[in-house]
Amino acid sequence: MIYLDHNSTTIVHPEVRKLIGDITAETLNPSSVHASGQRAKGLIEQARRQLAGLVGIEANARDYQVVFTSSGTEANNLVISNFNDGDIFISAIEHPSIFNYLQYQAGIKVIKVSSEGVIDLEDLSRLLAESSNSKKLVSVMLANNETGVIQPIKEVVAIATKFGAAVHSDCVQGVGKIAVDIKELGVDFATISGHKFGGALGAAALIAKTKYHLKASIIGGGQERGIRSGTENVPAIAGLGLAAKLAKDELVSRRHKMQTLQARLEQSLPPAAKIIGEGAKRLPNTSLVVVSGFVAETQVIAFDLKGIALSAGSACSSGKTKASHVLKAMNIPEDEASTAIRISLSHHNTEEEIDTFIDAFKNIYKLRNVA
Ligand code: PLP
Protein backbone atom coordinates (compact mmCIF):
# COMPACT_ATOMS: atom_id res chain seq x y z
CA MET A 1 0.00 0.00 0.00
CA ILE A 2 1.11 3.56 -0.70
CA TYR A 3 0.25 5.50 2.45
CA LEU A 4 -0.37 9.23 1.88
CA ASP A 5 -2.43 9.94 4.98
CA HIS A 6 0.23 10.86 7.52
CA ASN A 7 -1.74 13.75 9.02
CA SER A 8 -4.25 11.17 10.17
CA THR A 9 -1.63 9.03 11.86
CA THR A 10 1.90 8.18 10.83
CA ILE A 11 4.26 5.23 11.00
CA VAL A 12 5.59 4.38 14.45
CA HIS A 13 9.38 4.72 14.24
CA PRO A 14 11.01 1.25 14.35
CA GLU A 15 13.13 2.24 17.39
CA VAL A 16 9.99 3.44 19.16
CA ARG A 17 8.21 0.20 18.29
CA LYS A 18 11.07 -1.80 19.79
CA LEU A 19 11.17 0.29 22.95
CA ILE A 20 7.43 -0.02 23.45
CA GLY A 21 7.56 -3.78 22.90
CA ASP A 22 10.37 -4.17 25.44
CA ILE A 23 8.70 -1.95 28.04
CA THR A 24 5.35 -3.68 27.67
CA ALA A 25 7.02 -6.86 28.93
CA GLU A 26 7.80 -5.14 32.26
CA THR A 27 5.57 -4.32 35.24
CA LEU A 28 5.68 -0.55 35.34
CA ASN A 29 3.45 1.58 37.53
CA PRO A 30 5.14 4.91 38.27
CA SER A 31 3.17 5.27 41.53
CA SER A 32 4.72 2.14 43.02
CA VAL A 33 7.49 2.70 45.56
CA HIS A 34 9.55 -0.38 44.66
CA ALA A 35 12.32 -0.51 42.09
CA SER A 36 10.17 -1.22 39.05
CA GLY A 37 7.90 1.68 40.03
CA GLN A 38 10.91 3.93 40.24
CA ARG A 39 12.09 2.74 36.84
CA ALA A 40 8.65 3.59 35.43
CA LYS A 41 8.86 7.04 36.97
CA GLY A 42 12.29 7.49 35.43
CA LEU A 43 10.95 6.57 31.99
CA ILE A 44 8.13 9.11 32.28
CA GLU A 45 10.45 11.89 33.43
CA GLN A 46 12.89 11.11 30.64
CA ALA A 47 10.03 11.35 28.12
CA ARG A 48 9.01 14.68 29.63
CA ARG A 49 12.52 16.03 29.10
CA GLN A 50 12.71 14.63 25.57
CA LEU A 51 9.40 16.17 24.56
CA ALA A 52 10.32 19.49 26.14
CA GLY A 53 13.60 19.39 24.21
CA LEU A 54 11.75 19.03 20.92
CA VAL A 55 9.72 22.19 21.47
CA GLY A 56 12.30 24.50 23.01
CA ILE A 57 11.38 24.40 26.68
CA GLU A 58 12.78 22.72 29.75
CA ALA A 59 10.36 20.32 31.41
CA ASN A 60 9.75 20.99 35.08
CA ALA A 61 11.62 24.26 34.79
CA ARG A 62 10.01 27.21 36.48
CA ASP A 63 8.04 28.44 33.48
CA TYR A 64 6.47 25.40 31.80
CA GLN A 65 5.06 22.03 32.68
CA VAL A 66 4.34 19.06 30.43
CA VAL A 67 1.12 17.23 31.30
CA PHE A 68 0.81 13.84 29.60
CA THR A 69 -2.63 12.96 28.26
CA SER A 70 -4.03 10.12 26.16
CA SER A 71 -4.52 12.19 23.01
CA GLY A 72 -4.34 15.61 21.45
CA THR A 73 -8.10 15.72 21.77
CA GLU A 74 -7.86 15.29 25.55
CA ALA A 75 -5.16 17.97 25.82
CA ASN A 76 -7.31 20.41 23.82
CA ASN A 77 -10.31 19.64 26.02
CA LEU A 78 -8.20 20.13 29.15
CA VAL A 79 -7.20 23.66 28.24
CA ILE A 80 -10.59 24.79 26.91
CA SER A 81 -12.47 23.40 29.92
CA ASN A 82 -10.16 25.35 32.21
CA PHE A 83 -11.46 28.58 30.70
CA ASN A 84 -15.18 27.79 30.76
CA ASP A 85 -15.71 30.67 33.20
CA GLY A 86 -13.89 33.07 30.90
CA ASP A 87 -14.28 34.39 27.35
CA ILE A 88 -12.94 32.00 24.73
CA PHE A 89 -11.91 32.97 21.20
CA ILE A 90 -11.16 30.23 18.68
CA SER A 91 -10.28 30.37 15.00
CA ALA A 92 -12.87 29.18 12.49
CA ILE A 93 -10.56 26.37 11.36
CA GLU A 94 -9.75 24.63 14.65
CA HIS A 95 -9.76 20.85 14.94
CA PRO A 96 -13.14 19.43 16.09
CA SER A 97 -11.67 18.81 19.57
CA ILE A 98 -11.87 22.59 19.96
CA PHE A 99 -14.32 23.68 17.29
CA ASN A 100 -17.10 21.38 18.49
CA TYR A 101 -17.10 23.13 21.87
CA LEU A 102 -19.34 25.61 20.04
CA GLN A 103 -22.13 23.02 20.32
CA TYR A 104 -21.69 22.62 24.06
CA GLN A 105 -20.62 25.97 25.43
CA ALA A 106 -22.42 29.22 24.77
CA GLY A 107 -20.55 32.44 24.12
CA ILE A 108 -17.42 31.14 22.39
CA LYS A 109 -16.38 33.65 19.73
CA VAL A 110 -15.10 32.52 16.33
CA ILE A 111 -12.24 34.39 14.64
CA LYS A 112 -12.53 34.65 10.85
CA VAL A 113 -9.93 33.40 8.39
CA SER A 114 -9.01 34.65 4.89
CA SER A 115 -9.79 32.77 1.67
CA GLU A 116 -6.29 31.29 1.99
CA GLY A 117 -7.13 29.93 5.44
CA VAL A 118 -5.04 32.38 7.48
CA ILE A 119 -6.47 33.89 10.67
CA ASP A 120 -7.79 37.46 10.36
CA LEU A 121 -5.78 39.36 12.98
CA GLU A 122 -8.03 42.44 12.75
CA ASP A 123 -11.04 40.29 13.57
CA LEU A 124 -9.16 38.88 16.56
CA SER A 125 -8.42 42.41 17.83
CA ARG A 126 -12.03 43.49 17.28
CA LEU A 127 -13.41 40.49 19.20
CA LEU A 128 -10.97 40.90 22.08
CA ALA A 129 -11.80 44.60 22.35
CA GLU A 130 -15.47 43.71 22.85
CA SER A 131 -14.74 41.46 25.84
CA SER A 132 -14.98 42.80 29.36
CA ASN A 133 -14.15 39.49 31.05
CA SER A 134 -10.81 39.58 32.85
CA LYS A 135 -10.27 35.88 32.02
CA LYS A 136 -9.74 35.31 28.31
CA LEU A 137 -8.31 32.51 26.17
CA VAL A 138 -7.43 32.68 22.48
CA SER A 139 -6.97 29.30 20.78
CA VAL A 140 -5.38 29.25 17.33
CA MET A 141 -3.76 26.18 15.83
CA LEU A 142 -0.19 26.30 14.54
CA ALA A 143 -0.98 24.47 11.30
CA ASN A 144 -4.28 23.29 9.93
CA ASN A 145 -4.78 19.55 9.59
CA GLU A 146 -6.77 19.80 6.36
CA THR A 147 -4.95 22.50 4.39
CA GLY A 148 -1.56 22.54 6.13
CA VAL A 149 -1.77 26.35 6.29
CA ILE A 150 0.52 27.74 9.00
CA GLN A 151 -0.86 30.46 11.29
CA PRO A 152 0.97 33.61 12.47
CA ILE A 153 1.05 32.57 16.13
CA LYS A 154 3.59 35.19 17.26
CA GLU A 155 1.30 37.93 15.95
CA VAL A 156 -1.68 36.30 17.67
CA VAL A 157 0.27 36.32 20.95
CA ALA A 158 1.24 39.99 20.50
CA ILE A 159 -2.41 41.00 20.05
CA ALA A 160 -3.74 38.73 22.81
CA THR A 161 -1.16 40.07 25.26
CA LYS A 162 -2.39 43.64 24.67
CA PHE A 163 -5.83 42.53 25.81
CA GLY A 164 -4.62 40.38 28.70
CA ALA A 165 -5.67 37.10 27.04
CA ALA A 166 -3.86 33.79 27.40
CA VAL A 167 -3.01 31.94 24.18
CA HIS A 168 -3.29 28.25 23.39
CA SER A 169 -1.95 26.78 20.17
CA ASP A 170 -2.85 23.31 18.96
CA CYS A 171 0.55 22.34 17.57
CA VAL A 172 -0.43 18.75 16.76
CA GLN A 173 0.19 19.00 13.01
CA GLY A 174 3.24 21.24 13.20
CA VAL A 175 5.42 19.26 15.59
CA GLY A 176 7.79 16.92 13.77
CA LYS A 177 7.22 18.64 10.41
CA ILE A 178 8.47 22.17 11.10
CA ALA A 179 10.58 23.63 13.92
CA VAL A 180 8.30 24.46 16.86
CA ASP A 181 9.68 26.58 19.69
CA ILE A 182 7.02 27.17 22.33
CA LYS A 183 9.06 29.83 24.10
CA GLU A 184 9.71 31.74 20.92
CA LEU A 185 6.05 31.53 19.89
CA GLY A 186 5.21 32.91 23.32
CA VAL A 187 2.08 30.83 23.86
CA ASP A 188 0.80 29.91 27.32
CA PHE A 189 -0.46 26.47 26.28
CA ALA A 190 0.37 24.07 23.45
CA THR A 191 -0.99 20.69 22.41
CA ILE A 192 1.20 17.91 21.04
CA SER A 193 0.25 14.38 19.96
CA GLY A 194 2.78 11.55 19.64
CA HIS A 195 1.13 9.51 16.91
CA LYS A 196 1.59 12.35 14.42
CA PHE A 197 5.39 12.19 14.52
CA GLY A 198 6.47 8.59 15.05
CA GLY A 199 5.11 7.79 18.51
CA ALA A 200 2.35 5.30 19.20
CA LEU A 201 -1.32 6.08 19.68
CA GLY A 202 -2.29 6.79 23.28
CA ALA A 203 0.24 9.42 24.38
CA ALA A 204 0.06 13.17 23.92
CA ALA A 205 0.65 16.25 26.04
CA LEU A 206 -0.54 19.66 27.05
CA ILE A 207 2.31 22.06 27.67
CA ALA A 208 1.27 24.80 30.05
CA LYS A 209 2.91 27.77 31.70
CA THR A 210 3.19 26.90 35.36
CA LYS A 211 1.64 30.21 36.41
CA TYR A 212 -1.76 28.72 35.44
CA HIS A 213 -3.11 26.38 38.07
CA LEU A 214 -5.04 23.97 35.91
CA LYS A 215 -8.16 22.30 37.28
CA ALA A 216 -8.05 18.52 37.11
CA SER A 217 -9.61 16.93 34.05
CA ILE A 218 -9.68 13.46 35.60
CA ILE A 219 -9.97 12.94 39.35
CA GLY A 220 -8.17 10.05 41.02
CA GLY A 221 -4.77 9.15 42.39
CA GLY A 222 -3.21 12.53 41.60
CA GLN A 223 -0.89 11.56 38.74
CA GLU A 224 0.50 14.33 36.52
CA ARG A 225 0.57 16.71 39.49
CA GLY A 226 -3.10 16.09 40.13
CA ILE A 227 -4.14 17.54 36.76
CA ARG A 228 -4.72 14.24 35.01
CA SER A 229 -5.15 11.20 37.22
CA GLY A 230 -4.93 7.62 36.01
CA THR A 231 -1.98 5.24 35.84
CA GLU A 232 0.28 6.57 33.13
CA ASN A 233 0.52 4.77 29.80
CA VAL A 234 4.23 4.16 30.39
CA PRO A 235 5.04 2.35 27.11
CA ALA A 236 3.31 4.93 24.92
CA ILE A 237 4.72 7.88 26.91
CA ALA A 238 8.26 6.49 26.78
CA GLY A 239 7.70 5.94 23.04
CA LEU A 240 6.52 9.53 22.68
CA GLY A 241 9.72 10.70 24.36
CA LEU A 242 11.93 8.68 22.04
CA ALA A 243 9.89 9.79 19.01
CA ALA A 244 10.43 13.40 20.13
CA LYS A 245 14.18 12.88 20.42
CA LEU A 246 14.34 11.29 16.97
CA ALA A 247 12.13 14.00 15.44
CA LYS A 248 14.45 16.66 16.88
CA ASP A 249 17.60 14.93 15.62
CA GLU A 250 16.16 14.29 12.16
CA LEU A 251 13.95 17.36 11.68
CA VAL A 252 16.05 19.07 9.01
CA SER A 253 16.45 15.97 6.84
CA ARG A 254 12.82 14.91 7.29
CA ARG A 255 11.56 18.37 6.36
CA HIS A 256 13.82 18.52 3.32
CA LYS A 257 12.60 15.11 2.14
CA MET A 258 8.94 16.08 2.59
CA GLN A 259 9.46 19.40 0.80
CA THR A 260 11.08 17.66 -2.18
CA LEU A 261 8.26 15.13 -2.42
CA GLN A 262 5.57 17.80 -2.01
CA ALA A 263 7.09 19.90 -4.82
CA ARG A 264 7.26 16.84 -7.08
CA LEU A 265 3.64 16.04 -6.37
CA GLU A 266 2.23 19.54 -6.75
CA GLN A 267 4.19 20.25 -9.94
CA SER A 268 2.88 17.06 -11.55
CA LEU A 269 -0.81 17.61 -10.87
CA PRO A 270 -2.91 18.21 -13.99
CA PRO A 271 -3.97 21.85 -14.61
CA ALA A 272 -7.58 21.13 -13.61
CA ALA A 273 -6.42 20.40 -10.04
CA LYS A 274 -6.30 23.31 -7.61
CA ILE A 275 -4.38 23.36 -4.34
CA ILE A 276 -6.28 24.96 -1.47
CA GLY A 277 -4.29 27.63 0.40
CA GLU A 278 -1.56 27.47 -2.24
CA GLY A 279 -0.52 31.09 -1.74
CA ALA A 280 -0.17 30.75 2.04
CA LYS A 281 2.70 29.37 4.11
CA ARG A 282 1.99 25.64 4.39
CA LEU A 283 3.37 22.53 6.03
CA PRO A 284 5.92 20.75 3.84
CA ASN A 285 3.75 17.63 3.71
CA THR A 286 0.12 18.65 3.19
CA SER A 287 -1.68 19.27 -0.11
CA LEU A 288 -5.44 19.66 -0.20
CA VAL A 289 -6.50 19.22 -3.80
CA VAL A 290 -9.83 19.96 -5.50
CA VAL A 291 -10.92 19.03 -9.02
CA SER A 292 -14.44 20.16 -9.76
CA GLY A 293 -17.04 17.54 -10.56
CA PHE A 294 -15.69 14.55 -8.64
CA VAL A 295 -16.93 13.92 -5.10
CA ALA A 296 -14.05 13.29 -2.68
CA GLU A 297 -15.43 10.07 -1.19
CA THR A 298 -15.61 8.49 -4.68
CA GLN A 299 -12.01 9.50 -5.29
CA VAL A 300 -10.85 8.06 -1.98
CA ILE A 301 -12.44 4.73 -2.88
CA ALA A 302 -10.95 4.80 -6.39
CA PHE A 303 -7.48 5.44 -4.93
CA ASP A 304 -8.02 2.77 -2.29
CA LEU A 305 -8.78 0.25 -5.01
CA LYS A 306 -5.41 1.14 -6.52
CA GLY A 307 -3.71 0.58 -3.15
CA ILE A 308 -3.29 4.26 -2.30
CA ALA A 309 -4.46 5.55 1.10
CA LEU A 310 -5.47 9.19 1.42
CA SER A 311 -8.44 11.00 2.87
CA ALA A 312 -11.31 13.24 1.97
CA GLY A 313 -10.70 16.57 3.66
CA SER A 314 -9.86 15.88 7.28
CA ALA A 315 -9.41 12.29 8.43
CA CYS A 316 -11.29 13.20 11.55
CA SER A 317 -14.34 13.98 9.44
CA SER A 318 -13.98 11.24 6.85
CA GLY A 319 -16.85 8.82 6.78
CA LYS A 320 -19.14 11.84 7.01
CA THR A 321 -20.16 13.65 3.86
CA LYS A 322 -20.74 16.92 5.73
CA ALA A 323 -18.80 19.84 4.22
CA SER A 324 -15.67 20.70 6.13
CA HIS A 325 -16.05 23.69 8.47
CA VAL A 326 -12.51 24.68 7.49
CA LEU A 327 -13.32 25.06 3.79
CA LYS A 328 -16.62 26.75 4.65
CA ALA A 329 -14.72 29.30 6.73
CA MET A 330 -12.45 29.92 3.74
CA ASN A 331 -15.56 30.65 1.62
CA ILE A 332 -14.88 27.78 -0.73
CA PRO A 333 -18.11 26.93 -2.55
CA GLU A 334 -19.66 23.69 -1.31
CA ASP A 335 -19.54 21.95 -4.71
CA GLU A 336 -15.79 22.59 -4.84
CA ALA A 337 -15.20 21.75 -1.16
CA SER A 338 -16.94 18.41 -1.58
CA THR A 339 -14.22 17.34 -4.05
CA ALA A 340 -11.27 18.01 -1.71
CA ILE A 341 -8.81 15.19 -1.12
CA ARG A 342 -5.91 15.51 1.29
CA ILE A 343 -2.53 14.08 0.44
CA SER A 344 -0.31 14.16 3.52
CA LEU A 345 3.25 12.89 3.14
CA SER A 346 6.05 11.83 5.43
CA HIS A 347 9.77 11.33 5.09
CA HIS A 348 9.00 7.61 4.69
CA ASN A 349 7.44 8.21 1.26
CA THR A 350 9.47 7.86 -1.93
CA GLU A 351 9.60 9.60 -5.30
CA GLU A 352 8.35 6.39 -6.92
CA GLU A 353 5.27 6.48 -4.67
CA ILE A 354 4.57 10.07 -5.69
CA ASP A 355 4.88 9.13 -9.36
CA THR A 356 2.54 6.16 -8.88
CA PHE A 357 0.04 8.46 -7.16
CA ILE A 358 0.20 10.97 -10.02
CA ASP A 359 -0.32 8.21 -12.62
CA ALA A 360 -3.30 6.91 -10.64
CA PHE A 361 -4.66 10.45 -10.28
CA LYS A 362 -4.50 11.09 -14.03
CA ASN A 363 -6.05 7.72 -14.76
CA ILE A 364 -8.92 8.14 -12.35
CA TYR A 365 -9.77 11.57 -13.69
CA LYS A 366 -9.47 10.47 -17.33
CA LEU A 367 -11.96 7.71 -16.64
CA ARG A 368 -14.32 10.25 -15.11
CA ASN A 369 -13.74 12.76 -17.94
CA VAL A 370 -13.34 15.66 -15.53
CA ALA A 371 -9.79 16.65 -16.31
N1 PLP B 1 -5.49 18.73 16.59
C1 PLP B 1 -5.21 18.57 15.30
C2 PLP B 1 -4.80 19.76 14.50
C3 PLP B 1 -5.29 17.31 14.70
O1 PLP B 1 -5.02 17.16 13.42
C4 PLP B 1 -5.69 16.21 15.50
C5 PLP B 1 -5.85 14.87 14.90
O2 PLP B 1 -5.92 14.70 13.72
C6 PLP B 1 -5.95 16.44 16.85
C7 PLP B 1 -5.85 17.71 17.37
C8 PLP B 1 -6.38 15.34 17.75
O3 PLP B 1 -5.27 14.58 18.12
P1 PLP B 1 -5.49 13.06 18.64
O4 PLP B 1 -5.67 12.24 17.40
O5 PLP B 1 -4.22 12.75 19.34
O6 PLP B 1 -6.67 13.08 19.51
Side-chain angles (χ1 to χ4, degrees):
M1 182 184 51
I2 297 178
Y3 188 75
L4 306 177
D5 199 16
H6 293 274
N7 282 8
S8 166
T9 192
T10 194
I11 296 162
V12 180
H13 194 289
E15 285 181 40
V16 173
R17 219 179 303 154
K18 173 155 189 341
L19 176 74
I20 290 176
D22 291 349
I23 292 178
T24 307
E26 297 182 47
T27 45
L28 296 169
N29 184 335
S31 300
S32 302
V33 176
H34 51 63
S36 73
Q38 292 314 299
R39 170 166 156 72
K41 208 170 163 68
L43 287 167
I44 300 271
E45 294 316 314
Q46 172 171 278
R48 219 184 291 281
R49 286 191 297 277
Q50 287 169 319
L51 183 58
L54 175 64
V55 294
I57 56 160
E58 273 178 67
N60 298 326
R62 281 219 319 274
D63 296 350
Y64 293 93
Q65 59 183 331
V66 175
V67 182
F68 286 121
T69 61
S70 66
S71 63
T73 298
E74 187 193 328
N76 281 345
N77 275 245
L78 173 58
V79 67
I80 298 290
S81 62
N82 261 276
F83 281 82
N84 56 12
D85 53 346
D87 279 358
I88 300 176
F89 306 83
I90 66 171
S91 88
I93 55 166
E94 291 305 302
H95 183 265
S97 51
I98 288 181
F99 193 77
N100 286 349
Y101 262 83
L102 287 168
Q103 294 168 30
Y104 299 97
Q105 199 169 312
I108 296 180
K109 303 284 188 309
V110 179
I111 313 151
K112 286 186 206 146
V113 297
S114 71
S115 57
E116 290 282 278
V118 181
I119 184 172
D120 180 336
L121 295 170
E122 277 178 24
D123 198 43
L124 170 63
S125 295
R126 185 185 61 78
L127 290 170
L128 283 169
E130 284 172 3
S131 163
S132 56
N133 199 321
S134 61
K135 189 171 178 181
K136 298 190 251 308
L137 176 74
V138 174
S139 184
V140 177
M141 66 198 335
L142 176 60
N144 183 264
N145 43 304
E146 297 184 33
T147 62
V149 171
I150 297 171
Q151 303 300 318
I153 300 299
K154 275 198 216 173
E155 283 88 334
V156 168
V157 171
I159 292 168
T161 307
K162 272 201 255 167
F163 291 94
V167 178
H168 166 245
S169 186
D170 174 347
C171 296
V172 165
Q173 291 294 348
V175 170
K177 295 170 189 146
I178 54 173
V180 178
D181 188 319
I182 302 286
K183 234 184 199 158
E184 201 187 305
L185 290 175
V187 296
D188 300 276
F189 305 96
T191 297
I192 293 169
S193 182
H195 74 100
K196 308 289 188 183
F197 60 90
L201 292 158
L206 179 70
I207 292 177
K209 277 194 178 155
T210 42
K211 69 175 184 184
Y212 297 97
H213 298 287
L214 292 172
K215 278 181 296 198
S217 59
I218 300 176
I219 311 288
Q223 290 89 344
E224 293 301 285
R225 294 184 175 156
I227 296 167
R228 201 271 181 188
S229 285
T231 303
E232 298 88 338
N233 185 348
V234 180
I237 291 173
L240 166 70
L242 179 56
K245 182 193 174 301
L246 293 164
K248 187 179 178 191
D249 294 348
E250 297 170 10
L251 182 67
V252 173
S253 64
R254 287 186 191 182
R255 192 176 49 195
H256 180 257
K257 173 93 184 279
M258 286 188 274
Q259 254 159 359
T260 308
L261 294 175
Q262 188 185 44
R264 189 180 185 95
L265 181 137
E266 294 189 352
Q267 281 156 17
S268 315
L269 288 168
K274 190 172 121 191
I275 297 158
I276 301 288
E278 190 173 13
K281 225 165 119 185
R282 279 182 297 136
L283 290 174
N285 82 315
T286 309
S287 307
L288 188 67
V289 176
V290 291
V291 182
S292 63
F294 201 172
V295 173
E297 275 73 16
T298 317
Q299 298 179 62
V300 171
I301 293 165
F303 280 112
D304 193 33
L305 291 172
K306 288 179 179 288
I308 299 173
L310 42 76
S311 64
S314 164
C316 305
S317 59
S318 60
K320 296 182 218 156
T321 39
K322 220 175 99 204
S324 141
H325 70 278
V326 174
L327 300 185
K328 240 191 210 165
M330 293 167 68
N331 273 328
I332 294 181
E334 198 160 336
D335 57 341
E336 190 172 287
S338 66
T339 72
I341 55 163
R342 181 185 67 183
I343 303 114
S344 53
L345 310 173
S346 89
H347 58 284
H348 295 286
N349 289 121
T350 63
E351 292 189 349
E352 291 70 37
E353 288 180 331
I354 301 300
D355 295 346
T356 307
F357 164 75
I358 290 292
D359 284 346
F361 190 96
K362 288 180 178 162
N363 251 310
I364 288 169
Y365 292 101
K366 203 157 49 188
L367 286 176
R368 299 289 298 209
N369 275 329
V370 291

